[in-house]
Structures are given as structure tokens and as C-alpha cells.
Amino acid sequence: MIAIVAGCALASVIGWWLNRRAGVLRTVAGNDSGAGDDTAASFLGLTSSGPTVVHFSAPWCGPCAGVRRVVDGVCDELGVAHREIDIDADPAAARRFSVLSLPTTLIFDADGRQRYRAAGVPTAAALRSALQPLLA
């Protein structure tokens, strides 16, 4: 019995550790992301009038529906452009931006530089707080 409880506790700790950064928007340092040039902007269809949110998804991805709701709501509220890219239909985009898990959300500034990245479902508050400085 003690072994079962210990195993469950260990599994819970490992699960928490693996998912502790899921949905957290991280700042992308420098320009090591393959973005920030005119080809990246045209490759993803970024707008030059303000920030653009790009989220990678697939029809078979359950959590991607959650990202879709958050991104649609926040972007509509703030008037920010957004695009959804199906990795099954456009695997080249996923490779170019090193998308290794779904859902993945990228935020680009008006100059086409990747500024933030999240794997998992970001909260509306986190997305809003990342976008607001880019709107100024």
C-alpha cells in the first residue's frame, strides 16, 4: 500500500514538473528564432501595422481549441491580427519556427521579430499583458 501511495506521489511530482511551463509566455531573446526579416513576415503573413499572434494547431489537437478561444477573444478585444497555422497542412512553417509540440503560440512585433513564445494554452491575461506593450 505504501508503495502505491509513493508511486502516485512521485508520478504527480513528475507530471507537475513536466507541465510547470505549459502555457507560459516566454520572452524570445535576441533574434535567434528565424524571424525578424521580410521573408519571415511574408512566410507567415504577418502584418506590419502592429503585432501578430500566430498559433500552430492541428485538427486532432484537443488543447488547440482552447488556444483558439483565448487568441480569438484577446485579439478581437485589442484589435490585433492573428493567424492559425495547421501543421498538417503547412509543416514547413512548423519546422522553420521549431514547433515541437501543440499548441504553440508565437507573438511577433510590427517589425516581424518574434517577441514571445508559449507551448500549451496561454491565459487571456498573459496574452493581453504581452500584447499591450507592443501596441504602443
Side-chain angles (χ1 to χ4, degrees), residues 6-121:
C8 288
L10 179 61
S12 295
V13 169
I14 290 171
W16 170 83
W17 186 78
L18 291 173
N19 290 307
R20 73 190 186 286
R21 293 179 51 170
V24 175
L25 283 164
R26 295 178 291 121
T27 303
V28 175
N31 197 20
D32 59 356
S33 60
D37 55 32
D38 290 336
T39 58
S42 62
F43 189 77
L44 291 176
L46 304 179
T47 181
S48 61
S49 61
T52 305
V53 177
V54 177
H55 62 101
F56 291 86
S57 66
W60 45 264
C61 171
C64 293
V67 171
R68 190 175 301 113
R69 283 190 299 275
V70 170
V71 169
D72 287 349
V74 172
C75 289
D76 290 348
E77 171 191 329
L78 298 176
V80 172
H82 58 94
R83 286 205 56 221
E84 180 174 357
I85 298 178
D86 180 347
I87 67 162
D88 291 338
D90 192 357
R95 277 192 304 275
R96 179 167 181 168
F97 290 93
S98 302
V99 174
L100 301 175
S101 64
L102 291 180
T104 294
T105 305
L106 310 177
I107 299 177
F108 294 87
D109 63 16
D111 296 325
R113 289 186 305 256
Q114 185 181 338
R115 301 289 296 272
Y116 297 95
R117 179 184 190 102
V121 182

